[in-house]
Every structure is written in C-alpha cells, then in structure tokens.
Amino acid sequence: ASSGVVDVGTQCGGLAIGTPTQGSQSDNALGWNHYRWTVIKGPWHMPLTATGNGLPGNLVNSVAITWKNHLAVGTDEGIALGEINEQSAAGHVPQANLTFEHGQNFVAKVHGLWHPPVHWQAPPGQLLEKLPTEDHTTAVAWEPDTVAGGKAGYLWLGHWRSGLDVWQYDAEGAIINRWHIHRPQVGNYVQCLQPLKGGAMAVGCYGAGTRIITLPGQSKDAWRDVAKPETQLAPAAPEPQGARPPSAGEFAGTLPALSGGTNGASEIHAPWAAPLRVDWATQGDWVARYGREYALLCAAHFDESYHIIAKNFIDNQYAENVDAYCGPHHYEPFESLREWEVAADTNDRRGLYVPELGYRRITLWDDHGEVYPYTWQGPDIWLRVHLRARGIYRLSLYMSNPDGHSGANRQRDWTAQIFPLPRAEAPALRLKPLTAMVFPNNPTALHYAQWAMSAQPMAIERAVNVLNPEYLRFVVAGPGQYMVRLAKGSSLNLEVLGVFIDRSDARRLPADHRAMTGFGGVNYGPPTLPKSYAKKPPEILTIWEAAKHSFGAGGMEMRESIREMCYRYAVAHDMPEALRARMRWRLDIWRPGDRRIFNDTMDLSFQKMLSGWKGLKAFLVKTGQWEPNAGELEKGA
C-alpha cells in the first residue's frame, strides 16, 4: 500500500497491517519494531449472511492492493473488499473498512452445519447471482486499466473448484462487468495469479499447469476464448530477494526479552496451548526428533488397534495413549474412522519409518468425509490427548495427502484446533477396548462437541494441499486433557498419518537423552557440542539457548525467528559443523549427510533389535501378526 504500509494475510490469524515507524535499529532487536503491527480478525465461524462487514474468516489465502489503500482479501469463507485507513484517530493505528461477500455455495454450507440455524432464510436469487461463484477464494490479483485511469481495472478471483471470476471496475470504482471462466483447459483449481506486462495474467492451476490469459474485451464470448500459450511475458512485479545473514550487532537487545520468556514459561499453567512453526522437511524420518515420549503411527501395525506406540515412559512421567474418534456429524450408519494402507512397504521418504519393521509404510486414518458433500461440516477426526505431568509439551500431527493430486483429491485444506477438555467431561470420551472409533453417542460427549464446534480454539494450525507432508505442531501445558479437532473444512476428506508428543525444550528429563525403546540400545540424538564450548560458549550459543527455552510472554513470538537467525549466523561465519548440525536438528533442517546418518542408524538399530529378540518371527506367526511382505524381518530368527 502507500506510505510503505505492509498488508499480510496469515494462514490462520486474519489480516496483519504493518505501519512503518521511525525507531532506530539499535534499540529494537533486529529492526522488528520498524513496523507497528495491527491484526484484523474475522469471526472464527462462518457468518450466516451473504454479505457483511469485516473479514468473513481468518484463513487468508491471498491479498492484493487494488488502488490506493484499498484491498482485496481472499479467504476460505469468501472475499473481503475495502479500504485501510492508515491514519486513524486512534493513535495512528490502521483501521480496516472492509465488507465481505460469500460465494454462491455458502447456502449449501449453512445447510451442511451440524446444527443449522432454525428458521434461517437463504438470500434471494438476485443477490446470490452477483456473489463470487465460490466461497473458497484461493487467489486474488488486480490489473489496473491504465487507459481508463482512476480506479478502473480488473479484479481477478481464483477459486478452489470453479475457476475464475473477473470483475471490471470503472474509474469511479463501480463494477460494470463480470465474467466467469470455468473451463478444463484453464483449470478449475486456481492456486495463484501473477499479472504480466502487456495486459496479461498468468494463472497457476493445481494439476493443470499454467495458463496465460489476456484481459477481456466487452464480449463475453471473446473473453472465454483468450487463453494463449505465451510464456515469455515478464512479471509486472520484481522478484523478491533473499535476506542477508545477520550481524552480531543485530542480536543486541534480544536477550532480555528471551530471558523474560524463559522465566515466564515457569508461570504457564494448563490449560494452555500455542502454535509452533510447521515442519515441512523431516517427512517420514521422525525417529528421535519426534515421539520420544509418545508416538502413534496411524494404522501402521498389526495389532487390534492398528497403531504402534514407541514408549519411553519413566514412572508415568509422560502422556497417555491418544484416543481417536470420527466426529459426531454424520448420517452414515455405523460410521467410524477408516484405516487405509496406501503402501505397505515403500522407499518413499514421505512414508513414516516403522522401527519394529525396518522399513517405511504409508498408512492413515480417514474421517470418511469422501462420502459426504464437500459443503458438509465434518465428520472430521477428534483426538483426546491426556498429559499426566506438569510441564510444557510439544504435540505434533503428521499430515499428508498420499491419495493423488488431481481431480477431487487436490482439495485438501485442513485445520487442527485445540480445546481444553474439563476433567468432569473426560470420562464420557474414553474409548472402551475393541469399540469402533466413533465419537461417543452420549449427552455429555455430544454437549462438549457442540460447545467446541462453536467456541474459539486455544490454538489453531493449518495444512493446505500437503503435496509434501508436514508436521503441524503446538506447545501445550500439562497436566491436563485436551481435544484436538482435525477439521476437513470443504476438503474431500480429512487424513492423519501420525501423532507425536514430546517434552518441549523448556525442560527435559534424563530419559529424553537415552536410546529409544526398541532400538537395541542404539542411541540416535542431536550431535554433541564441541568440548571447548563447555568452558567458553560463544555469545551466539547463549542467545540460542535463551531462545530455545523461551515460551512465556515476550519470548514466544521471538524464539523461532531468533533460532533461525542464529543458525544463519553460524553458517555465514563458518562455525564448527557440530554446532551447525545440532542447530539443524532443532530447526528441522536436513542436509544429505544428515539423511545418511539417519539411514545408517536405523539399519544398525534394527539389526540390534533383531539380534536381541530371538524368536520374533515365530511369535508373529503364532499370534497371526506375520505378513509375507514383512521386509527385513525375513532375516530374523
């Protein structure tokens, strides 16, 4: 926007507006305070009117500047348009004068709610036909009409299933034409838009490549046939440049805030939860980085509950089992979670490594959402998590879409929402042995679910597309119980491959540094620091340690960014590889050498396990758990 104002759409937290300040870099740690940030949020649940004020939701997919101080914001719940008042009367805090419009399919979404509002009336057809063709707006872009001048131009809206809308504005900012493109050769899942020089738009279509489309004429028929194969047109906007490594002086001022966050961590009491940085890099190499306290690989084992647990419990210090349920909103009789085996034995790194088998598998739980309309709320997957001891834990959910990335399989936009579970209501959600994994059909459980589905979550994270798997991660405080609602939204269905619980970096116990159970005594952990650092650690390591333990107020917002800056500093100054490798471990950064160490250690630990577990194959055959494709277990005695 004008005057250097930055408008940022966040995945789960609405719209952030950064206003430049006049502070000097020396007094505000890495220059973050050069911007004063104002966050504008919408409701946590879908508005029930076709149009309204503000944002329609907090899951923002794209932001475009139309004309001076005016924005278009694409969300999962429609499009928001309006002006940002950069010089408001409230102490120069930006204010947003936004109005939203749902898509034409929002009526079906209202009818698909678990508890639709009584006596709700759909808007008239004349209003609906002027709305965007779809609620889920994936991309927005603005192309000014330099000939007409003023506010004239074209607003492009990309959608999840219905292609493109293009609205033409006159010089006064009024809409004078609307077009809709919904053709296979253009691609109906629009993922991104990029204006090009020469009056053209590059349209990135998930599963259908890129199309170059020129601006329309006045004829609708002419517009529908303007797709061209040119790819030589240059982007209208410059490409972003990489950030330079930080200097030592730029870390000045961070320690007080980080130390305050460390002290504040001791004051955190359950129930409490906050999101952490998403991990896209680790993929199926979870061992030791995740699950030292608890690991659940969905549908990956042979036992009756179809999961494996890597336990490292010492005197019940750690978490209990995680119970899983298919959500309460379904109409299929005898509904429950589905268990799928995509690949029983694979070399695909996206598959979770199974220590007890010695190879990878791609298996998952599915909420069976594929048999319901995409406008249906649920069924979803609900997880009950019980943390037994006081402290701060990391809860990680391994999310992936291994079903393919064409057709309906492309539509995956999931959220993980964390809610407290009061002790009085917990018994109603305990699963009995051998019962179907379905939300308990009793008044207490259903009352709790109805509250959670209308409440604001304590923390929320999001997984979109998931061509490559990712770990959605949270910090949660114990002791206590939580419910995690994995919501499919308007996706085809909801799938989860693994659930992991660890002690956070705030406080570790001796067991966190031992060899994991089932590894034959082979320990796999982060590289040790150079011995010389024990006597005189470098200042960068002091800052790193302060950031690692910082969870309280004043530190939670800084810890991840500071740790990444520390690693970039260590690389730029060629600090010892042991230090850099340890930092990579904590930051989920992988180099080829790190992968080789993982593979070699897994091979060694598997052979150690087999040598110490005589009669393993005979036991599995006797108990009916043996499978012909049992891979390296064929070598066992």
Side-chain angles (χ1 to χ4, degrees):
S2 63
S3 306
V5 171
V6 178
D7 303 295
V8 180
T10 69
Q11 279 209 321
C12 303
L15 180 69
I17 303 173
T19 306
T21 65
Q22 301 301 317
S24 65
Q25 188 162 331
S26 61
D27 62 4
N28 48 63
L30 300 177
W32 288 336
N33 293 337
H34 283 303
Y35 283 90
R36 180 184 295 112
W37 291 95
T38 302
V39 178
I40 298 170
K41 291 190 175 182
W44 283 103
H45 302 279
M46 181 181 68
L48 301 179
T49 57
T51 61
N53 295 321
L55 290 173
N58 293 305
L59 309 186
V60 178
N61 301 317
S62 184
V63 178
I65 306 297
T66 54
W67 52 85
K68 182 180 179 181
N69 298 339
H70 282 71
L71 292 178
V73 184
T75 78
D76 282 14
E77 303 290 356
I79 183 79
L81 304 168
E83 181 181 13
I84 301 297
N85 182 1
E86 300 172 5
Q87 301 296 329
S88 69
H92 301 289
V93 176
Q95 299 293 321
N97 182 21
L98 300 173
T99 59
F100 72 80
E101 296 184 14
H102 271 305
Q104 295 175 13
N105 63 335
F106 104 98
V107 174
K109 291 173 68 175
V110 173
H111 290 309
L113 295 173
W114 184 26
H115 292 286
V118 180
H119 307 307
W120 182 80
Q121 295 293 323
Q126 308 95 290
L127 174 59
L128 282 176
E129 66 183 14
K130 292 184 179 180
L131 297 178
T133 53
E134 185 182 339
D135 222 19
H136 197 127
T137 305
T138 54
V140 294
W142 173 255
E143 182 66 24
D145 187 339
T146 56
V147 176
K151 301 176 181 178
Y154 302 88
L155 179 63
W156 299 62
L157 308 178
H159 299 301
W160 222 20
R161 291 178 169 90
S162 60
L164 281 162
D165 287 321
V166 183
W167 297 347
Q168 184 181 14
Y169 289 76
D170 64 15
E172 301 302 318
I175 298 176
I176 57 175
N177 278 306
R178 299 172 187 261
W179 295 276
H180 177 224
I181 306 174
H182 189 276
R183 300 179 69 183
Q185 61 265 40
V186 175
N188 294 327
Y189 184 162
V190 176
Q191 190 167 16
C192 55
L193 298 166
Q194 173 62 55
L196 303 175
K197 294 178 180 178
M201 184 69 67
V203 182
C205 306
Y206 194 158
T210 302
R211 296 292 185 272
I212 308 299
I213 301 179
T214 60
L215 290 175
Q218 297 301 313
S219 168
K220 183 177 180 181
D221 292 335
W223 165 257
R224 291 174 62 85
D225 292 321
V226 295
K228 293 184 177 181
E230 294 98 329
T231 58
Q232 71 274 16
L233 297 176
E239 294 293 326
Q241 301 299 311
R244 61 172 176 77
S247 65
E250 288 176 312
F251 287 102
T254 60
L255 273 177
L258 293 173
S259 299
T262 301
N263 295 332
S266 62
E267 303 301 322
I268 293 174
H269 299 282
W272 177 84
L276 286 173
R277 172 181 48 82
V278 174
D279 174 8
W280 289 282
T282 298
Q283 301 196 24
D285 296 348
W286 63 275
V287 179
R289 283 172 170 79
Y290 295 94
R292 279 193 171 271
E293 278 66 59
Y294 183 90
L296 189 155
L297 278 57
C298 304
H301 208 235
F302 310 111
D303 59 17
E304 292 174 346
S305 59
Y306 290 93
H307 64 268
I308 67 169
I309 300 174
K311 295 181 179 178
N312 202 8
F313 296 178
I314 305 295
D315 298 327
N316 291 326
Q317 293 283 333
Y318 299 114
E320 282 189 344
N321 188 26
V322 172
D323 295 325
Y325 317 83
C326 181
H329 190 208
H330 51 80
Y331 51 68
E332 288 286 325
F334 310 110
E335 188 64 280
S336 68
L337 291 187
R338 265 46 178 183
E339 298 164 325
W340 289 100
E341 183 181 87
V342 180
D345 187 348
T346 179
N347 292 323
D348 189 335
R349 192 173 296 279
R350 292 175 294 183
L352 289 167
Y353 178 78
V354 186
E356 292 157 324
L357 302 180
Y359 52 79
R360 302 175 188 274
R361 281 187 162 177
I362 301 178
T363 57
L364 53 90
W365 286 336
D366 166 16
D367 75 337
H368 208 212
E370 62 269 17
V371 304
Y372 297 86
Y374 73 88
T375 52
W376 185 268
Q377 186 185 37
D380 301 336
I381 295 176
W382 293 63
L383 304 173
R384 171 183 164 273
V385 179
H386 186 184
L387 305 174
R388 301 179 65 90
R390 188 177 186 278
I392 300 178
Y393 296 80
R394 184 183 67 184
L395 172 66
S396 307
L397 309 166
Y398 190 59
M399 313 293 287
S400 181
N401 169 23
D403 295 335
H405 296 269
S406 61
N409 278 321
R410 295 174 296 179
Q411 274 89 30
R412 310 298 173 107
D413 189 342
W414 304 321
T415 57
Q417 308 166 18
I418 298 192
F419 301 92
L421 177 58
R423 181 177 299 179
E425 298 182 358
L429 291 161
R430 289 186 180 275
L431 284 176
K432 296 181 180 179
L434 305 181
T435 58
M437 293 186 293
V438 61
F439 205 93
N441 187 19
N442 62 67
T444 302
L446 295 178
H447 180 268
Y448 174 82
Q450 186 173 356
W451 168 82
M453 292 177 77
S454 60
Q456 178 176 329
M458 300 177 67
I460 183 171
E461 272 291 359
R462 183 179 174 197
V464 184
N465 296 337
V466 285
L467 174 61
N468 286 313
E470 55 194 65
Y471 293 84
L472 300 186
R473 311 190 305 178
F474 301 87
V475 282
V476 290
Q481 299 189 57
Y482 298 85
M483 289 296 291
V484 182
R485 179 191 173 203
L486 302 178
K488 80 173 182 70
S490 298
S491 307
L492 174 69
N493 59 10
L494 190 285
E495 298 174 344
V496 59
L497 283 69
V499 183
F500 305 90
I501 298 174
D502 294 276
R503 285 278 177 171
S504 74
D505 289 327
R507 185 185 65 166
R508 293 184 176 273
L509 300 179
D512 294 312
H513 304 286
R514 300 172 186 167
M516 292 181 67
T517 302
F519 275 71
V522 176
N523 197 357
Y524 175 56
T528 57
L529 291 171
K531 293 182 179 180
S532 60
Y533 284 7
K535 294 183 179 180
K536 188 179 180 181
E539 184 178 7
I540 193 67
L541 187 58
T542 302
I543 296 172
W544 168 273
E545 291 296 324
K548 184 174 70 172
H549 299 296
S550 187
F551 287 94
M556 188 67 196
E557 297 80 6
M558 298 173 59
R559 67 184 301 273
E560 299 289 353
S561 297
I562 287 292
R563 293 171 82 183
E564 291 168 2
M565 297 285 266
C566 288
Y567 176 68
R568 290 173 53 211
Y569 179 90
V571 171
H573 292 80
D574 198 26
M575 300 187 77
E577 169 58 18
L579 172 63
R580 289 180 286 166
R582 189 177 180 89
M583 288 180 170
R584 288 198 300 269
W585 180 290
R586 298 300 186 198
L587 293 173
D588 315 304
I589 297 172
W590 290 81
R591 294 286 183 263
D594 302 327
R595 299 289 187 188
R596 288 193 294 270
I597 293 173
F598 175 86
N599 293 336
D600 292 345
T601 307
M602 295 305 103
D603 289 344
L604 176 61
S605 64
F606 182 72
Q607 295 303 323
K608 290 284 188 181
M609 182 197 71
L610 286 184
S611 63
W613 196 351
K614 299 298 183 182
L616 174 60
K617 180 178 178 180
F619 171 79
L620 294 176
V621 171
K622 181 178 179 180
T623 57
Q625 300 180 65
W626 179 257
E627 289 189 355
N629 66 343
E632 295 193 35
L633 284 177
E634 292 282 1
K635 303 174 184 178

